[in-house]
């Protein structure tokens, strides 16, 4: 997983990566990239669909969950909303070949 993450970090252009707190070490379970805006993210997800590349959107913010709707939830419209609207989680399986990683990289780099 660290090698896959390293490939993404060194070859993906025009995106940033979602990280945890500076007070913790990262467990690389899933690589979530952040585009400059939702329009870029949507273009990338469309490109992934056309190329047959699996992806997922980041988890919805807790403030959007039914139990919290209508409540003044701390952090609403903050970081979680930004990650959800601009983020895209890319394939990160330990079985992901270098060729498949390159397909992901090429698909993202076409957009940004």
């Amino acid at each position: 997983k660290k090698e896959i993450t390293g490939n993404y970090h060194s070859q993906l252009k025009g995106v940033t990566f979602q990280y945890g707190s500076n007070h913790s070490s990262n467990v690389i379970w899933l690589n979530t990239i952040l585009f400059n805006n939702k329009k870029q993210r949507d273009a990338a997800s469309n490109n992934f669909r056309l190329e047959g590349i699996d992806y997922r959107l980041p988890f919805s913010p807790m403030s959007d969950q039914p139990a919290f709707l209508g409540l003044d939830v701390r952090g609403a419209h903050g970081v979680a909303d930004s990650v959800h609207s601009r983020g895209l989680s890319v394939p990160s399986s330990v079985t992901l070949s270098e060729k498949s990683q390159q397909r992901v990289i090429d698909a993202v780099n076409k957009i940004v």
Side-chain angles (χ1 to χ4, degrees):
K1 291 240 183 204
K2 288 182 181 181
E3 287 178 21
I4 293 168
T5 298
N7 287 340
Y8 286 154
H9 279 250
S10 66
Q11 296 184 54
L12 287 173
K13 307 299 180 204
V15 297
T16 56
F17 291 80
Q18 179 187 12
Y19 290 107
S21 166
N22 289 336
H23 304 289
S24 64
S25 60
N26 289 322
V27 175
I28 305 163
W29 170 63
L30 186 63
N31 286 289
T32 298
I33 56 176
L34 301 174
F35 293 88
N36 291 325
N37 53 56
K38 185 179 184 311
K39 183 178 177 181
Q40 280 185 335
R41 192 277 314 267
D42 291 347
S45 65
N46 185 53
N47 197 27
F48 275 31
R49 279 191 297 276
L50 293 173
E51 298 287 336
I53 299 171
D54 288 333
Y55 69 95
R56 69 180 297 167
L57 298 178
F59 296 109
S60 297
M62 289 299 295
S63 58
D64 289 348
Q65 302 304 314
F68 299 105
L69 290 178
L71 299 177
D72 184 19
V73 180
R74 180 178 169 246
H77 309 291
V79 174
D81 287 332
S82 177
V83 169
H84 188 257
S85 70
R86 300 182 303 121
L88 191 78
S89 298
V90 295
S92 302
S93 171
V94 295
T95 62
L96 193 67
S97 69
E98 287 186 27
K99 182 179 178 180
S100 293
Q101 292 169 47
Q102 194 60 52
R103 286 183 63 224
V104 171
I105 291 163
D106 293 342
V108 170
N109 288 342
K110 283 182 188 176
I111 302 301
V112 293

